[in-house]
Structures are given as structure tokens and as C-alpha cells.
Amino acid sequence: MELEENSIEIDMKGEMKLRQPLLVKNRRNHTSQHAIVGANICPIESLDYEIIENDLFKQDWRSRTRVEILQYVSLKWTLVLLIGLSTGLVGFFNNLAVENIAGFKLFLTNNLMLQEKYYRAFAAFACCNMVLAAVAAALCAYISPAAAGSGIPEVKAYLNGVDAHSILAPSTLFVKIFGSVFGVAAGFVVGKEGPMVHTGACIASLFGQGGSRKYHLTWKCLRYFKNDRDRRDLITCGAAAGVAAAFRAPVGGVLFALEEAASWWRSALLWRAFFTTAVVAVLLRGFIEFCKGGKCGLFGEGGLIMFDVSSAKVAYSSTDLLAVISVGAIGGILGSLYNFLVDKVLRTRGPSCKILLAVTISLLTSCCSYGLPWLSPCIPCPRRLEDHCPTIGRSGNYKNFQCPPKHYNGLASLFFSTNDDAIRNLLSSSSDGEFHLSTLFGFFVAVYCLGIVTYGIAVPSGLFIPVIIAGSSYGRLVGTLLGSHCELDAGLFSLLGAASFLGGTMRTTVSLCVILLELTNNLLMLPLMMLVLLISKSVADCFNKGVYDQIVKMKGLPYMEAHSEPYMRHLVASDVLSGPLVSFSGVEKVGNILHALKTRAHNGFPVIDEPPFSNAAELCGLVLRSHLLVLLKEKKFTKLRVLMGSADLMDRFKAHDFGKAGLGKGVRLEDLDIEEEEMEMYIDLHPITNTSPYTVVETMSLAKAAIFFRELGLRHLLVVPKTPGKPPVVGILTRHDFMAEHILGLYPHFNPHE
């Protein structure tokens, strides 16, 4: 690596210190353009939220009538309505399927245990779990590997401007729905809430394709959505709807999309997201009311509020506040440890047989769920609950398991329930004294460890529910330990423990606070909830990042943070440019364009006007690779190097012809059939050139350029010279050029933390 003279100096201790930005010559971009999506390595590319102001776009924009504008706005609201309805239906189906499939499995096991056929009961329990796990893993392995995991990191990266293969494809949606049902019903310590966010985003992407020629959905108003900007807004609404459908928390869904998922937000999007989640909430309430009469099998008893603790008395003293602060601090430490261990497990697991791994972990989970309750003592039923204890069946507390009549098994009440029922049992204020300290401690350790081991297998799996279960068991353990020393009961401590774990792992505050309040229907817990979330997040931030940020980084998705890194202040925009730069003339030879497209993977090329089309070399704008392919396929060539004018091109093309095709169905380089004599002909690039691209001066600090790039949602940022006499454009900054791996590869002397 060559350094400019006088770029470094030696201080009194003999250490090198930078005196001015390093300028390295003959640099090339060597870092990868691939990332882990699901469980496979896939190519990725950036999204472009910039308005392409070329002649075709301007003409289309000017020619839109009021009726067409009204159609466009009305269709936007119609699409978000359809997204809300579809996501609500999928959320209802998921709950219905999980409750009935898991209920059948637990009923079968319970009936065999009542007949004292304990070995057959375990065999039936384990076999059901392994079959369900194998089906879920097979769907991911053979149909859509991108559906594995929660999907929130992928949605978060997409809304940041990163597109990867199949992350929002219809096949991914199919596997996400059914794989999540089978995975949760298999008894894994996973949740369906994370996958619901991905499901909502997939539904929104499907509606936002801008029509389909294959299925003859080519209405003119649909073509307006053939761009990344409108799809981004719809997918943001879909992510919010997914949270609302998973937790039945409409306001929390909007706030989660704002705080965690979306990188760009505006007031119009807030209205649409709120409308989408409201549709989800109304639809779910209607279905739940319908199912309360037993028309949906085992589903419908929970109501819209999943975990109702509104009956608990909320009164606390200064002593209680100290206990709550301790719960938040310890929860933050345990949450950051959870993130650390999840990261280690995901990194060390490596390529393995996906189905075999899922079945093995399913067997391990079955052994823990069935075996650990045998270590728990049988407890006499409380006299006040003789009619309800023990519970014979699937739902409810006080499971009999292997105990004699009028006795119950505390661990079985937690393990032999669905995840939602286990949380209800832990948060219930009417079950004080039900769970002994040993029961809570054993369940906490088992769920904590199983959640870490399970996450990352090839099934759609969320982290919300495992974290809530572990946190609520930890909180109830603390509440039971304190006993009569605190005015808060064990159920409220369980809720605060869940909040502390969520804050320690997810690192969000406002959205989690609202989601938990909507889940529990208890506004009196707001001050304590805010305190716990703030403390747990602050403590956990001292150790590592949030779990989704860690997974985004581990997968290699080039996510741009809202802030620039400190070392970027020592560099300017021209210091990280990758060369050589490929540019085109305003009227370019067809052979030159085709050669550049074949030898370069760039998605944007500067267009420079030269004499005789201008007095001197000047930057005309930027032309996109996809637009060049469309133009080349139509073969609008000339034998002489002359301007064609926009009028001729507008007669043959419309603006939507250059819109982004859905699901990679656009023109490819292989589709071109250019003959030998056509290679020497010319093509006018002016009508499709974006004449107002965003540019920065080469001396702008890289930190400022990074903020500029992210805030505007750019894919290309042109760097122009500071002084005259140089070429009109120095280079192009892309997302890749702002990544730490690229910058620190060029300047290894920089400390990434300083």
C-alpha cells in the first residue's frame, strides 16, 4: 500500500499518527458482495430510493392528470388495506393451527399418562415433535432456505436498502407460514412473532410488485408501483402489521416498525402503517369473538389481550423500586449474555444436515420437557381450587402429570403447555404459591439454554417468545424470593422480568413498552415498565449490540447505521473510491456499452457529454444498468453519432417500461441479441440519463458523506472534483464503500473503535 508523502508522522513515543487523510493509489474493491440469507450464501444488491429524473420520467410526471393522481393515492390505501386483511388472516390461521396441532399432541400424551403408559406417552410426545420438526426443516431446506430464522434481520436490512435473493419471494411466504406453524407446534422454544414480521413484509412485497404480465395484472395504475420507494413503504406497513397480528398490539406494531425495522420514516407512512395495524386488530377481534363459542377447536379462549394481569394490584414503595432496578440491571446482563451465546452458537454451528439437526434438537427438547417434570415433587392442590386442580387436559395450570389425585406437578404446568399458555401461567396473579423456587429456577435454566441452542436451526423461528418465557420465569423467581418483603406480587415481577430480558436482547424501549402494555392491559405498570426497559437496555449496551444487529452483521448484510463511525472523520470521500471508473459518452457506441456491461457488475455509470455535444467535458448525469438493458433490447440504434432526441424515444417507450421488474423478472444480459454490425452503431443515452444525480465534492469528509448517503436512501453518490482541470467525475460512492471491512482493509492502521 502506497502512502502519500508526509501523510504520517512519528510522535514522541515512536507511534504513527495521522496528520492528513491517507491517499492510497491503485486500489480495487476486493470485499464480497454476498451475504448469508437463511442458511445459504446469496448475492446481494442495493435498493435505489432516488427519484430518477430523466426525460421519460419528467414527461410522465407532467402528463399525469388529477384522475390518475387520485387513482395512485387511492390504490396506495387499497393496498395497505389488503396487506392488513391478509396479514390478519395469516395471524389468525397461525394461532388456530398451532393451538389445535399442539393441543392434539398434548391431549394424546396426557391421556396415555392417565393410563400410566409413561413410555408410550413419551414415545408419542417425542415422535409428534420430531415429525413436525422434520416437516418444518424440510420446507426450509428444499423450498425456501431464506425462510429460516425469524426474518426480522432480513426485513430490517431490506428497509435499510439491501436486497437479497428470495427474502420476500412467494415461496418464502409459503414456507414462513407453514414452517412457523409446524415449528412452534413441535414444542421448540421458539415463537411465531418474529416470522409474522417477515410474513407481513412478504405479503406487502407481493402486493407491491406493480402488476404482473404473467398473470395479466397490468393495469396502468399498478405500474406506478414499479419502484423501490413505494415498495419500501408497503413493506414497512407489512412489518408493522406482522407485529400487530403476532401480539395483537396495533400501536406497538407501528412503533416497532418505526423504532426497529424502518430506516426512513415520514408522516404519510405513519398514517398508512397505523391504518394497516388497525385493520389487523379489528379483524383479529372479530375472529376471536367468533371462536369463543368453541367453533375453532382449541383456539379462542385467550381473547384479544393475551396475558391479562389487570386484576393485579399495583402499589409500590421505595424498597420496591430498588428491587425493580435490580431486576432491570440483572435482566440486562442476562440479556446481553443471551445475545453473546446466540452469536457463538450461530457462528460455530457451520454447515450441517439441516433436517437431522432440527430433529436432534427436537428430541433434546422433548427429553427436557418430558424428563425434567419427573424431578419436580408432587404438590397438594390448594383447598380453594379443589374444583380446578389438577387440570385434566391441555390448557390451564396445575397439571397432574404423574402425580396422585389432588396433586399437581409445577414443572409440568409450564412444560406441558403451549408457549402462550406457559406465559399466561407465569404472569397470572391468581397463581401465587403455585410454583416453588426450584421449579422456577429449573424452568428458567432449561428455557434459557434451549432457546440459545434452538435459534438458528432451519425452521422459521422467532426470539420474542423464548425471551419472554425466560424473562417471565426469572421475574417470577425474583418475586417469589422477595415474597412478603415487596408489595408487588409475583405476577407483576414476572412481567417486569420479561421486560428486562426483552430490553437486554432486543435493545428497543418504546415499542416494547407499548407492546407489553397492550398484551397485559395494565397501564398502571407504565412507570415501572419504562424504568426496567431503560435500565436493562443501558446495562446491556455496555457489553454488546442488540440481537438483530448482531445477526445482521454476522450474515454479512451491509447495513448502514444512522451515525457514522469515528474513523470516518479522518477520511474524505475520494479516499475510499474504488477504480477504475467506467463512464459513457452522451452518444455511445453499442459495442462499448455491451463490453462494459459484460465486464463490470456496476449498476450505475456516469454519462459525460463531450464536444461536439458540449463546449467541454461535463457531467450529464447517471444511467442505470437496468435502463441500458431495456434500451439495448429494443435496438434503437443509429449509424451516425448524432442526437436522437427524446421525442422519438417517447413514442416507443413509456416511463413504466423502465420501472423495476418484480422478483428479478427484468431484462438480463443474456436476453440481448446484438449482431456484429450493430456493435459499431451508436445509441443516445440522454433520454434515460438521470440529469440530477446527487453529488458531493471529493474533499467532503467521509462521515458527512455517509450520513448524506443513508438519509437520502441512495444507491449511487457521484464524487466530483474540487478544482478545475480534472475529469468531470472522480468516482462513485456506493453502499459498499462505506462498510467497515472495505475501509479498514484500505487503512488497517485505523482503530475501528476510535
Side-chain angles (χ1 to χ4, degrees):
M1 187 176 288
E2 298 178 10
L3 304 181
E4 285 279 348
E5 200 173 19
N6 302 324
S7 63
I8 57 176
E9 63 180 1
I10 309 299
D11 65 2
M12 297 295 292
K13 297 181 180 180
E15 297 177 348
M16 286 191 300
K17 299 180 73 175
L18 288 174
R19 229 175 37 189
Q20 62 184 36
L22 294 172
L23 298 176
V24 184
K25 301 177 181 178
N26 301 322
R27 295 168 305 197
R28 289 185 179 270
N29 196 331
H30 292 297
T31 51
S32 174
Q33 297 294 331
H34 292 73
I36 302 174
V37 178
N40 292 343
I41 303 294
C42 297
I44 57 174
E45 65 177 36
S46 295
L47 298 170
D48 194 356
Y49 300 137
E50 181 182 356
I51 296 176
I52 307 300
E53 289 189 338
N54 54 34
D55 292 345
L56 286 171
F57 175 82
K58 291 175 182 177
Q59 177 61 27
D60 178 70
W61 209 357
R62 287 191 293 262
S63 63
R64 288 189 189 181
T65 63
R66 290 186 178 181
V67 174
E68 289 176 332
I69 295 173
L70 181 61
Q71 286 178 344
Y72 170 70
V73 175
S74 301
L75 186 60
K76 262 195 173 183
W77 285 100
T78 303
L79 288 178
V80 296
L81 172 64
L82 293 174
I83 291 168
L85 291 174
S86 302
T87 308
L89 284 171
V90 171
F92 168 72
F93 170 77
N94 280 2
N95 281 278
L96 179 69
V98 168
E99 294 287 329
N100 283 283
I101 295 174
F104 169 79
K105 174 188 69 178
L106 295 173
F107 267 131
L108 176 63
T109 306
N110 185 68
N111 290 336
L112 290 172
M113 294 198 69
L114 289 175
Q115 301 171 24
E116 298 185 358
K117 299 177 180 179
Y118 299 122
Y119 291 107
R120 290 181 61 183
F122 172 71
F125 181 70
C127 287
C128 287
N129 284 342
M130 288 191 291
V131 169
L132 292 170
V135 172
L139 288 173
C140 282
Y142 297 114
I143 298 180
S144 178
S150 72
I152 292 181
E154 285 83 358
V155 173
K156 185 175 180 178
Y158 185 94
L159 294 177
N160 189 258
V162 180
D163 193 12
H165 179 68
S166 295
I167 60 173
L168 299 175
S171 59
T172 303
L173 173 62
F174 172 81
V175 174
K176 209 72 183 184
I177 295 172
F178 291 97
S180 175
V181 168
F182 293 132
V184 175
F188 284 123
V189 185
V190 297
K192 55 186 179 293
E193 286 69 22
M196 271 306 303
V197 177
H198 195 180
T199 298
C202 289
I203 292 172
S205 176
L206 195 60
F207 282 117
Q209 290 301 313
S212 170
R213 293 181 181 176
K214 180 180 179 181
Y215 298 107
H216 305 290
L217 297 174
T218 54
W219 305 318
K220 185 176 181 180
C221 53
L222 281 176
R223 296 169 183 168
Y224 294 143
F225 292 88
K226 287 185 175 293
N227 61 80
D228 289 328
R229 298 183 308 281
D230 287 321
R231 290 184 191 177
R232 174 191 66 189
D233 292 349
L234 292 175
I235 289 169
T236 302
C237 293
V243 177
F247 291 108
R248 306 166 200 171
V251 180
V254 176
L255 292 175
F256 183 84
L258 168 62
E259 185 177 9
E260 180 66 19
S263 295
W264 296 279
W265 199 268
R266 62 183 193 279
S267 58
L269 182 57
L270 178 66
W271 277 99
R272 293 192 183 96
F274 186 70
F275 173 73
T276 310
T277 58
V279 170
V280 172
V282 171
L283 188 68
L284 280 179
R285 178 175 285 278
F287 278 122
I288 289 171
E289 291 296 327
F290 172 78
C291 291
K292 277 189 175 179
K295 301 176 183 178
C296 303
L298 300 172
F299 174 71
E301 297 299 324
L304 187 63
I305 303 299
M306 293 177 65
F307 319 120
D308 193 349
V309 296
S310 58
S311 59
K313 180 182 178 182
V314 181
Y316 47 89
S317 61
S318 56
T319 305
D320 299 331
L321 288 177
L322 292 176
V324 169
I325 292 172
S326 301
V327 167
I330 297 173
I333 295 172
L334 293 175
S336 62
L337 178 63
Y338 193 92
N339 291 0
F340 173 78
L341 295 175
V342 164
D343 186 68
K344 291 296 182 184
V345 168
L346 291 177
R347 290 179 184 275
T348 56
R349 182 166 284 164
S352 57
C353 182
K354 301 172 186 177
I355 300 177
L356 180 61
L357 180 62
V359 171
T360 302
I361 294 180
S362 174
L363 180 61
L364 173 64
T365 304
S366 300
C367 291
C368 292
S369 300
Y370 190 87
L372 290 178
W374 289 89
L375 304 177
S376 179
C378 293
I379 305 169
C381 290
R383 292 184 179 180
R384 58 185 173 84
L385 296 173
E386 289 183 354
D387 295 337
H388 303 283
C389 180
T391 300
I392 305 299
R394 180 192 64 88
S395 61
N397 302 0
Y398 306 104
K399 293 293 177 63
N400 181 257
F401 202 63
Q402 89 291 5
C403 295
K406 301 299 180 182
H407 288 71
Y408 72 94
N409 187 307
L411 270 178
S413 299
L414 299 173
F415 276 118
F416 267 73
S417 301
T418 61
N419 292 335
D420 288 355
D421 285 337
I423 296 174
R424 286 191 186 96
N425 294 346
L426 289 167
L427 296 182
S428 175
S429 299
S430 61
S431 57
D432 287 342
E434 175 186 352
F435 304 110
H436 290 185
L437 288 174
S438 58
T439 298
L440 293 170
F441 181 76
F443 183 71
F444 167 70
V445 173
V447 170
Y448 192 89
C449 296
L450 285 174
I452 293 169
V453 173
T454 304
Y455 190 77
I457 61 174
V459 299
S461 54
L463 277 173
F464 271 103
I465 289 299
V467 171
I468 291 176
I469 294 177
S472 55
S473 58
Y474 149 73
R476 195 170 188 97
L477 176 63
V478 173
T480 305
L481 276 172
L482 295 177
S484 58
H485 299 290
C486 283
E487 297 182 23
L488 296 174
D489 63 25
L492 295 180
F493 266 109
S494 181
L495 177 61
L496 294 175
S500 70
F501 260 55
L502 286 169
T505 53
M506 311 296 177
R507 309 296 164 82
T508 53
T509 52
V510 179
S511 58
L512 288 178
C513 184
V514 174
I515 287 172
L516 289 173
L517 290 177
E518 289 186 280
L519 286 178
T520 56
N521 195 26
N522 194 342
L523 282 174
L524 296 176
M525 290 294 295
L526 179 60
L528 295 180
M529 195 85 68
M530 293 171 64
L531 180 64
V532 165
L533 284 168
L534 288 171
I535 292 174
S536 61
K537 181 187 184 304
S538 301
V539 170
D541 282 340
C542 298
F543 299 98
N544 50 33
K545 291 185 176 182
V547 63
Y548 296 129
D549 293 325
Q550 288 189 172
I551 294 173
V552 165
K553 183 178 180 180
M554 186 205 70
K555 286 177 175 286
L557 295 167
Y559 187 87
M560 290 198 69
E561 299 288 350
H563 60 275
S564 60
E565 298 297 336
Y567 55 81
M568 292 184 179
R569 301 168 192 162
H570 303 288
L571 298 170
V572 295
S574 60
D575 289 341
V576 295
L577 293 175
S578 303
L581 177 67
V582 178
S583 62
F584 296 134
S585 298
V587 181
E588 185 60 82
K589 186 179 291 187
V590 173
N592 293 343
I593 297 176
L594 199 61
H595 175 74
L597 294 178
K598 287 181 178 179
T599 57
R600 303 291 177 184
H602 302 154
N603 287 282
F605 301 90
V607 176
I608 299 175
D609 271 337
E610 299 172 335
F613 304 112
S614 63
N615 295 328
E618 63 180 18
L619 177 63
C620 176
L622 183 79
V623 64
L624 298 183
R625 182 187 191 91
S626 58
H627 293 185
L628 288 171
L629 291 172
V630 173
L631 202 60
L632 288 173
K633 188 176 182 182
E634 292 298 324
K635 298 187 177 183
K636 196 70 172 178
F637 308 145
T638 58
K639 292 183 178 180
L640 300 177
R641 192 167 182 247
V642 294
L643 293 172
M644 287 179 55
S646 301
D648 293 339
L649 201 64
M650 289 176 187
D651 293 337
R652 192 163 184 175
F653 292 101
K654 300 297 180 184
H656 58 76
D657 292 328
F658 294 90
K660 183 171 182 178
L663 301 178
K665 298 291 193 304
V667 180
R668 297 174 300 175
L669 193 60
E670 296 80 13
D671 299 331
L672 301 181
D673 184 20
I674 307 296
E675 298 178 1
E676 190 66 30
E677 61 270 15
E678 294 174 328
M679 300 287 282
E680 298 299 320
M681 300 178 73
Y682 293 91
I683 187 168
D684 186 4
L685 301 180
H686 289 93
I688 64 168
T689 298
N690 179 11
T691 56
S692 56
Y694 288 100
T695 61
V696 295
V697 181
E698 62 180 339
T699 55
M700 176 184 283
S701 71
L702 190 62
K704 187 176 180 180
I707 299 296
F708 185 77
F709 188 92
R710 185 190 187 276
E711 291 299 320
L712 294 175
L714 302 180
R715 185 173 187 173
H716 310 99
L717 182 59
L718 274 63
V719 181
V720 296
K722 174 74 172 178
T723 56
K726 293 185 178 180
V729 59
V730 178
I732 299 180
L733 288 172
T734 64
R735 174 179 296 265
H736 168 74
D737 296 313
F738 294 103
M739 292 298 105
E741 293 79 5
H742 171 63
I743 298 173
L744 297 177
L746 296 175
Y747 306 104
H749 300 95
F750 283 139
N751 186 339
H753 305 294
E754 293 182 358

